Amino acid sequence: EYMGIHQMISCVFWLGVVSARVAPTRHAMPWEGPSAEVWKAEYKHRFGREFSLRDMVTSSTVYPSPLSQSVGGSHFQLTKQLNFQVVGLASPATYDLLERAFERYQAWIFSWDSVHSPSEPLQDYPTISDCFVYVTGNDLKLGPDTDESYIFTIGSDSNAPSINITAVTVFGAFRAFETLSQVIQYNLTNGQYFVSDMTVQDVPRYQFRGVMIDAARNFMDLAALRKLVDAMSFMKLNALHLHLSDDQSWPLEIRRYPNLANWGALTNVSHRYSQADMKTFVQYAYERGVRVIPELDLPGHSTKLCQGYPQVCSHWNDSGHIDTDLFDPTNEDAWAFLENLFTELTEIFPDEEYHIGGDEVWTVPWEQSAAVVQWMSDHSQSCPDDPSLTCGTIDGLHHYFTRRLLSILSKLNKRAIGWGPGIDDFNFGDSGTTDYSDYNITMDNWIGFDPVGDQYWQSQQAQYVQQNAKTILSGPLYLVDRWPNINDGNRFSWHDMYHTDPQNFTIPDMELLSRARGAKLCIWDDAARTDSSNIASKAGIFMAAIGEALWSPKGYVDPTQFPMDYWTSMRLKDHRCRLLRRGYTFEPVEFIAIPCPFEYPVYDHSATTTTATATTTSPTTTATTATIST
């Protein structure tokens, strides 16, 4: 009720400012003219500080915070003709990737168009004309261990000041370009681009910083996924996990097995990914430093696979359950099917890691299958692949399935990621006793949804790393709108995710913490209510929160210091404003959204109608112009 009254008074106030103003000889800003003091008083009331022209200069806050940043007292102006030069012995492919990335950022950096006559004179700053980029290596592989570090200096030579970027890989240079785009400022009062002299040294804390998209329960078109990948690169996230198969659909074209998509797509025509389109998307993500990791969830969550090719599955005819089909590991023809399937997958997804699911295996279809029960009886003393192990139980059968699937991936030079607990419940013996060094797999820990109230994920992390497993943390980073049994049905805030550290647990040998590789935001469609229309907007602030939590140095984000959230909130709002200017839509950081500098109205009193215009451009979208009429 208070907010409604406050907003109504605010609307009356703004209308009063507009109507009371006397038409100046040029476009005027609201802090000028006879109503300036009233406007400034309202500004102080709204934002809790005095208005300053410095507020009309775009922020130079770096997000996520770098390893180190030292800023001097000198300033330099830049023009839109900033010259990009690659120095050193860069390969043609390296140069091509760098040039395309720089062109994207150049368009974003210099996207401001003056929407009013400048009210302040230009500052007499020296001009920077050149940006030199030196990549020390030509390794263009993007993978789990890719070096993303960089160093850049601005204005180090007083005679010929320049921007100098050094990175080991092109992907480190991509991260440097993002930081550079943030430290270059624009003064809205005089239309001048400028930057301070500085040195930035940066390296991510965690190697795996990701987002998981549930493309099986609700199809996400590739235009929306491209927007999401762009947003990930702005937050310095580097891994997109695509959940591509489930009981609800199978959207990916497999040429050798066309019935997978023919039977499995939500609709046969529009809700499917052709191989050509998916390859183009994977390349798009690669050029922004984002890996694409496919997940085929096996042996459960297989309804659509089994509808297309029922001969490779065990079935249980009960309409009361959706997961009435399981891949049949006792069928040698089924194993040939699976090997062919993953072999074709390697032609689409070059990443060296594949997610194999493995969770929520409801084993009744195996238990009710006469053929499976007979096979287990025949192998009760030994398994076909390992005579020292038994396949006479459901646990032993599941263990056998996982070993063979890992063997297929190994032949294809792929490493596995699997949901845990889940894949380990059946596969790896008694809890706490398995030595995971025997398995080339990373455990994807989905336990512990509530990062504040439920700390079970920490004990699960501790168990895995002490059993020589590498881990990725997912459980506390679910984007949840419903699920009433989780966090009282409330949507998690970005604050919760910001304070979730994958290594925030205690074990006797703390050196083992390095096995916790990182974490990812999980956007399950049955929990987050997302589709192609809102995926990037809804996920944006959450991606930003985990982006800094996983990139910035240890100690910068302190899980015990919630008061720091005020400053983080301010920096997040600055970052959101940048991305709005680039043409990307993200939900506000807080319930009361503070306007971005370019959202301040520009009053033209020479016309009957007061208008404000702001132009946004994006290298990947057509420029749009918004006009606000009062």
Side-chain angles (χ1 to χ4, degrees):
E1 185 176 315
Y2 164 76
M3 286 303 300
I5 294 172
H6 179 77
Q7 290 172 352
M8 185 166 58
I9 293 173
S10 178
C11 287
V12 172
F13 165 80
W14 283 104
L15 288 172
V17 170
V18 172
S19 60
R21 297 278 304 248
V22 177
T25 58
R26 61 173 178 82
H27 292 215
M29 298 303 280
W31 56 85
E32 303 170 318
S35 299
E37 295 307 314
V38 179
W39 187 91
K40 290 177 182 178
E42 173 68 4
Y43 182 95
K44 183 176 181 180
H45 170 71
R46 282 171 171 251
F47 306 133
R49 65 178 188 275
E50 299 288 347
F51 172 76
S52 167
L53 281 178
R54 287 191 298 272
D55 292 314
M56 294 298 98
V57 176
T58 58
S59 170
S60 63
T61 301
V62 177
Y63 197 97
S65 185
L67 179 65
S68 68
Q69 179 182 12
S70 59
V71 182
S74 301
H75 300 291
F76 305 91
Q77 66 175 342
L78 300 98
T79 67
K80 293 185 178 183
Q81 289 72 44
L82 183 64
N83 183 34
F84 168 71
Q85 297 187 52
V86 177
V87 297
L89 300 176
S91 68
T94 298
Y95 182 88
D96 186 53
L97 287 169
L98 291 171
E99 184 178 44
R100 288 205 298 272
F102 186 80
E103 287 174 354
R104 289 195 301 271
Y105 277 100
Q106 194 170 33
W108 285 320
I109 291 169
F110 298 109
S111 66
W112 291 92
D113 292 314
S114 181
V115 296
H116 63 281
S117 301
S119 59
E120 299 291 324
L122 294 177
Q123 297 294 321
D124 186 20
Y125 296 148
T127 300
I128 285 181
S129 301
D130 297 304
C131 176
F132 298 105
V133 180
Y134 177 42
V135 175
T136 61
N138 283 313
D139 184 1
L140 298 179
K141 180 182 178 181
L142 178 61
D145 304 313
T146 295
D147 191 312
E148 298 173 89
S149 64
Y150 66 89
I151 300 173
F152 77 64
T153 59
I154 297 177
S156 56
D157 187 339
S158 58
N159 295 321
S162 61
I163 299 168
N164 298 276
I165 295 173
T166 302
V168 176
T169 68
V170 293
F171 309 104
F174 293 169
R175 308 307 177 212
F177 290 159
E178 176 59 39
T179 300
L180 177 65
S181 74
Q182 298 179 18
V183 300
I184 293 175
Q185 297 174 267
Y186 179 77
N187 190 326
L188 280 78
T189 67
N190 65 10
Q192 186 174 31
Y193 294 96
F194 69 99
V195 67
S196 301
D197 68 307
M198 70 178 68
T199 299
V200 175
Q201 298 186 48
D202 209 1
V203 62
R205 181 183 176 198
Y206 287 104
Q207 283 295 104
F208 192 102
R209 309 177 309 280
V211 175
M212 191 225 73
I213 296 297
D214 184 0
R217 288 187 177 88
N218 199 345
F219 183 83
M220 300 289 174
D221 66 54
L222 291 179
L225 290 181
R226 285 192 292 270
K227 281 268 188 180
L228 185 78
V229 163
D230 288 341
M232 290 176 65
S233 69
F234 303 152
M235 321 301 184
K236 297 187 172 77
L237 298 171
N238 67 353
L240 177 61
H241 166 185
L242 285 182
H243 182 75
L244 287 171
S245 72
D246 215 300
D247 295 316
Q248 289 76 12
S249 83
W250 181 297
L252 181 65
E253 174 194 22
I254 301 296
R255 292 172 179 164
R256 185 156 186 166
Y257 301 112
N259 283 350
L260 288 171
N262 289 345
W263 283 80
L266 292 174
T267 62
N268 189 36
V269 178
S270 59
H271 292 83
R272 55 193 294 167
Y273 303 116
S274 72
Q275 289 196 14
D277 286 346
M278 184 56 75
K279 288 177 183 178
T280 300
F281 169 71
V282 170
Q283 179 65 24
Y284 183 94
Y286 168 82
E287 293 183 9
R288 286 147 184 81
V290 176
R291 305 163 53 203
V292 180
I293 301 170
E295 179 191 352
L296 299 185
D297 201 348
L298 292 163
H301 291 276
S302 302
T303 298
K304 290 303 177 182
L305 180 151
C306 295
Q307 285 180 358
Y309 292 90
Q311 64 270 30
V312 302
C313 296
S314 300
H315 310 276
W316 183 50
N317 297 320
D318 185 343
S319 60
H321 293 81
I322 188 172
D323 47 355
T324 57
D325 303 284
L326 282 179
F327 179 86
D328 182 359
T330 69
N331 182 342
E332 285 303 312
D333 290 338
W335 283 110
F337 170 91
L338 209 57
E339 185 163 355
N340 293 334
L341 175 60
F342 276 94
T343 299
E344 188 164 330
L345 211 64
T346 64
E347 300 171 7
I348 310 170
F349 300 98
D351 199 86
E352 65 183 79
E353 289 190 302
Y354 280 13
H355 205 298
I356 59 174
D359 64 318
E360 298 174 339
V361 180
W362 195 62
T363 60
V364 171
W366 285 346
E367 296 165 7
Q368 298 295 320
S369 167
V372 170
V373 171
Q374 182 61 52
W375 188 94
M376 287 193 296
S377 175
D378 293 342
H379 296 86
S380 60
Q381 301 301 315
S382 64
C383 290
D385 66 322
D386 189 340
S388 67
L389 299 174
T390 177
C391 283
T393 65
I394 290 295
D395 287 6
L397 179 62
H398 197 167
H399 193 178
Y400 167 70
F401 165 81
T402 303
R403 287 198 310 273
R404 283 199 65 169
L405 180 54
L406 293 179
S407 176
I408 289 174
L409 291 181
S410 180
K411 286 168 57 179
L412 297 172
N413 296 314
K414 303 295 181 182
R415 289 189 279 171
I417 303 172
W419 293 113
I423 197 168
D424 55 324
D425 287 350
F426 292 99
N427 297 341
F428 301 122
D430 296 333
S431 177
T433 63
T434 301
D435 184 352
Y436 284 91
S437 60
D438 296 336
Y439 305 92
N440 196 13
I441 190 169
T442 292
M443 303 306 296
D444 192 345
N445 180 10
W446 62 269
I447 284 296
F449 295 102
D450 185 345
V452 178
D454 179 2
Q455 299 300 312
Y456 180 57
W457 68 264
Q458 293 176 319
S459 60
Q460 190 68 56
Q461 290 279 90
Q463 175 180 315
Y464 283 147
V465 301
Q466 291 182 97
Q467 293 173 240
N468 296 317
K470 293 182 177 180
T471 71
I472 295 168
L473 182 63
S474 294
L477 302 174
Y478 276 31
L479 182 54
V480 174
D481 271 348
R482 59 177 190 83
W483 288 3
N485 60 323
I486 301 170
N487 204 22
D488 296 326
N490 295 323
R491 178 179 175 178
F492 293 166
S493 73
W494 66 263
H495 304 263
D496 297 328
M497 297 188 182
Y498 187 76
H499 291 284
T500 299
D501 182 350
Q503 293 182 359
N504 183 28
F505 56 90
T506 302
I507 53 178
D509 185 357
M510 295 298 284
E511 291 185 2
L512 299 180
L513 288 181
S514 62
R515 293 175 180 165
R517 297 173 51 193
K520 66 175 183 286
L521 175 70
C522 288
I523 309 174
W524 293 104
D525 182 68
D526 57 353
R529 292 184 295 184
T530 54
D531 63 12
S532 299
S533 70
N534 70 345
I535 183 68
S537 173
K538 197 164 194 173
I541 298 305
F542 298 92
M543 290 194 295
I546 70 166
E548 180 154 277
L550 299 175
W551 178 281
S552 298
K554 183 178 181 180
Y556 184 82
V557 179
D558 186 341
T560 66
Q561 297 298 314
F562 274 80
M564 183 184 176
D565 281 0
Y566 171 78
W567 304 108
T568 304
S569 177
M570 294 297 103
R571 295 171 54 250
L572 267 175
K573 289 169 183 174
D574 287 340
H575 195 42
R576 175 177 177 266
C577 286
R578 290 190 192 107
L579 306 187
L580 292 178
R581 277 291 304 167
R582 295 179 186 180
Y584 296 83
T585 303
F586 296 110
E587 290 184 353
V589 177
E590 304 292 2
F591 290 108
I592 303 175
I594 294 179
C596 299
F598 59 85
E599 294 176 313
Y600 285 95
V602 181
Y603 301 109
D604 182 358
H605 300 288
S606 61
T608 302
T609 302
T610 300
T611 63
T613 61
T615 301
T616 60
T617 59
S618 166
T620 58
T621 59
T622 304
T624 60
T625 301
T627 301
I628 306 168
S629 297
T630 303

